[in-house]
Amino acid sequence: MRIRCNYTDHADLAIKRLEKGVLLVSQHEGKTNVMAMAWGFPGFMWSKPVFIAPVRTSRFTHDLIEGSGEFVVCIQPETMDDIMMRTGSCSGRDVDKLKELNLETFNVPEVSVPGIEGSLLTYACKVIHKASAEPLSNHTLFFGHVLGVYADKSLG
Ligand SMILES: Cc1cc2nc3c(=O)[nH]c(=O)nc-3n(C[C@H](O)[C@H](O)[C@H](O)COP(=O)(O)O)c2cc1C
């Protein structure tokens, strides 16, 4: 059971879990994918709530976010950390990770990308800007305007 909450609610949990890794969900043209993400920034830009997702240009996730202009960040409980790690060890180009890992999705009203069932926190993001991290690394920083946040009821 999830409830819509304020952007800053439970932000400490999101940052704490980012250190280990969280789930970055993308979807475009009927393909849904999920990958582990341990870099990221929940904060504010242009007076908007913004979640920055740094994604290496070679990732399948990169193609899907470029295509749809949307992504969802899911903060999973520790019991799902093994699953998170597995989403970071293979590509959605080669395997349907949701099917392989028995992950169920739920509709996130603000975007066309779904959330992952069992997550503690879910951020619905629409890309409003992107920047390259080159020459330091081959990542694109996707600046996601956070349109909605959902918290599992267990967070209180
Ligand atoms: C714990 C962990 C954290 C990761 N963090 C990132 C990240 O922040 N950005 C990134 O581009 N790749 C990161 N990766 C690598 C991707 O998750 C990995 O390459 C994944 O297989 C890409 O999947 P895709 O091709 O389906 O998008 C991380 C991997 C792990 C295991």
Side-chain angles (χ1 to χ4, degrees), residues 9-24:
D9 292 348
H10 315 296
D12 52 339
L13 176 68
I15 289 168
K16 186 165 177 266
R17 299 293 293 140
L18 260 166
E19 192 177 9
K20 171 96 182 181
V22 301
L23 299 168
L24 177 62

Side-chain angles (χ1 to χ4, degrees), residues 33 35-39 54-56 59-61 88 90-92 97:
N33 192 40
M35 71 162 232
M37 176 177 79
W39 294 4
V55 183
R56 194 174 276 276
R59 313 281 187 239
F60 186 48
T61 298
C90 57
S91 177
K97 290 188 237 183

